[in-house]
Structures are given as C-alpha cells and as structure tokens.
Amino acid sequence: MAAAADLELALDARAALGEGAIWNESLQRLHWVDIAGHRVFTFDPATGENHAADVGAMVGTVVPRARGGLMLALHQGFAALDPATGRVRPLPPPPEHDPAKARFNDGKCDPAGRFWAGTMSFVKGQALGALYRLDPDGAQRVMLRDVRTSNGIVWSLDRRTMYYIDTPLMRVDAFDYDEATGAIAARRPALAIPPGIGRPDGSTLDAEGMLWIAMWAGGRVTRWNPRTGELLRTIRVPAGNVTSCAFGGPRLDTLFITTARDGLTEAQLAAQPLAGGLFRIRPGVPGLPAPAYAG
Ligand code: CA
C-alpha cells in the first residue's frame, strides 16, 4: 500500500478545458492540455513550473514519443510536436475524418506503442465521430465508427482487454484486444454509470487493475472494478467538470486530475474558483507507466 495524502491543488491553471493528463517517465513530468486554449503543458511537480506550448489548434490529447518529443491529436488529426522548438508537424489527414463535423479528443497509447485517439461529434445526438489507431509505421486506421464523444481508453493489466468510453452512452465498454495485431473485437458493456455522479470522461488504470474515471459534471474521480462493474471509491474535486486523471510522480503514487472552466455558468464559476485547476492526491494505490508512441 502506497502512502496516502488528501486532494490538493497542484496548479491554479484556470484552464478553459484542461484534459489529457499523462506522466512522462523519462522526463519525470506531467503532460496535459487545454483543448480550447490550444496549449500543451509540461508540468514539473517538483518545482511547480508549467511550461506551455501553443499548438495553434484545438488539441485533444498528448502522448510521449519513445524517440523523444510528443505526439498530439489535433482538431484535424495526428501531429508531432517538438517541445524544444514548439514546431508542430501534422501527419496526413485521417481517413473519413471531416473536421467540420468532429474534432479529435482523448487518446492514449496501447501496450505495443500504437496511438489510439477518437473524435467527438459537433452535432449533439449524432454519432459522427470515430476511434482511430496510429501505428508505429505511420498507418492510420478507423477502428470504430458511430462514436459520439470518444474519451477514456485504457488496457488491462494482462493486455487482453481494452476499456473504452463513449461519454453519452454512460458506460465503459470492454473489447477483446490483441496486442500483436492491435485488433479489437467482442464489444460489450463493462460497467454502467448510475445517474447523479456525472458523465464518464478520461480514465486510467492502477496497479491493481482497477479503473479510475474522471466525471464531467460530477465533481469527482471514481474508482471501479471493471470486471464486476462495482464502484469502489469516490474522490470529490472542488470543480464540477473533471476531465482526466493520470498517475505520476517518482513512485507513480500521485493521481493528477485535470478540470475545466468550460461549460460552467458565471454563478458556477464564482462558486468554483479553482475550476480549470490541476489537482493531485495520493490515493494509496500506485499507477502504471503510460506507454509511449513507438513510431
Ligand atoms: Ca475528455
């Protein structure tokens, strides 16, 4: 059991739409994004320094690259970012992606270093999004169609199951996952989100194989057993729109949590002065290293 500590504000960032938290093992820094602010951040928990790179477009998520640098999912598609120069190099447009109808949102790398990221439909109630896979050789594939708001994506400890959130469905789905080929199959619901605790957004896995889910409009992060569907734990966050979470720190025992100011009324913003902040807690269980993009 890792040592526990209460929730605290790590950075009063006032992000419009903080998202995409991921720990960079080699740098010992936390990357995260402000989607609406077009910014990719690199946060050093040791000093509190938060370096910002303006990438000139909505940025749904960020992942480290094994060879160094970062990979992004921008509004229009995948891109590489050199944090030293701030230079953004877009990859070819993803198949079937119409930036007028959807933008890229959350994504992470699978255990084999493939970068998965999905899009969210601009038209409420219409599933105009998709889930994409960017392979280390640069090939891009549509892995799922008819997606509404593509969000949290994680792989199980035994690397045989992928857990995926399409937010408006109010559940987490499981797929059989083949690490060798990257194929997914046999979609089925893994857990259902009950009413009253918000909508499922970003997610991460801990070292016990349990799923942590940030709850948009729920003011909390939740921990679940994805095999039984049981809600194990709730951590309240003093911001209603909780968007993503990721384990970091030298022992991977700190859960970093991003939040948003977007979607709040003036009255809600007044009542939630820390909305858009980056929070942290040591929940007593560590996480796992996040795979980097292998291409
Ligand atoms: Ca999200």
Side-chain angles (χ1 to χ4, degrees):
M1 195 83 176
D6 289 342
L7 184 87
E8 63 176 17
L9 183 69
L11 185 71
D12 189 11
R14 312 259 170 142
L17 186 46
E19 268 284 5
I22 187 168
W23 183 251
N24 186 320
E25 276 281 291
S26 58
L27 296 183
Q28 292 288 300
R29 303 279 194 280
L30 184 84
H31 299 298
W32 62 292
V33 302
D34 183 344
I35 296 178
H38 300 178
R39 281 175 169 79
V40 175
F41 299 115
T42 303
F43 176 69
D44 181 355
T47 64
E49 187 191 345
N50 189 50
H51 175 266
D54 186 338
V55 295
M58 283 200 278
V59 50
T61 198
V62 54
V63 295
R65 195 172 191 178
R67 67 170 71 166
L70 301 172
M71 295 298 292
L72 310 176
L74 298 177
H75 181 159
Q76 309 241 3
F78 294 103
L81 170 66
D82 179 348
T85 62
R87 184 162 170 267
V88 176
R89 186 177 61 80
L91 272 58
E96 304 177 21
H97 176 49
D98 181 350
K101 292 182 177 162
R103 69 156 169 85
F104 269 81
N105 197 41
D106 206 345
K108 290 285 181 291
C109 289
D110 73 11
R114 306 177 189 93
F115 183 14
W116 297 62
T119 57
M120 63 177 282
S121 177
F122 286 138
V123 187
K124 207 171 183 177
Q126 283 192 40
L128 304 176
L131 177 65
Y132 292 86
R133 200 183 85 197
L134 171 64
D135 286 356
D137 66 2
Q140 301 182 40
R141 290 180 177 79
V142 179
M143 300 304 291
L144 283 177
R145 295 186 178 85
D146 303 319
V147 171
R148 294 151 187 82
T149 303
S150 193
N151 255 315
I153 184 166
V154 300
W155 289 265
S156 62
L157 292 182
D158 67 6
R159 304 177 167 202
R160 293 174 61 178
T161 305
M162 183 181 94
Y163 295 108
Y164 177 66
I165 293 169
D166 184 352
T167 296
L169 299 180
M170 290 296 283
R171 57 174 205 251
V172 179
D173 284 349
F175 294 79
D176 294 343
Y177 162 74
D178 183 335
E179 185 182 357
T181 64
I184 51 173
R187 183 177 188 165
R188 67 272 182 188
L191 64 89
I193 308 293
I197 64 168
R199 301 195 283 281
D201 199 324
S203 62
T204 196
L205 201 77
D206 67 31
E208 296 174 355
M210 300 297 125
L211 198 58
W212 292 78
I213 306 176
M215 305 301 297
W216 179 269
R220 70 194 72 197
V221 173
T222 49
R223 183 180 190 238
W224 305 76
N225 183 332
R227 291 180 293 280
T228 64
E230 185 189 0
L231 174 59
L232 303 172
R233 189 166 168 192
T234 295
I235 293 170
R236 298 301 301 252
V237 179
N241 290 336
V242 185
T243 51
S244 78
C245 54
F247 286 94
R251 291 171 300 280
L252 289 174
D253 63 352
T254 300
L255 187 70
F256 290 95
I257 300 165
T258 59
T259 64
R261 297 176 72 78
D262 271 14
L264 298 179
T265 64
E266 285 302 317
Q268 287 172 319
L269 283 170
Q272 302 171 30
L274 301 181
L278 176 69
F279 295 85
R280 67 181 154 206
I281 184 173
R282 293 213 308 275
V285 58
L288 303 157
Y293 176 58

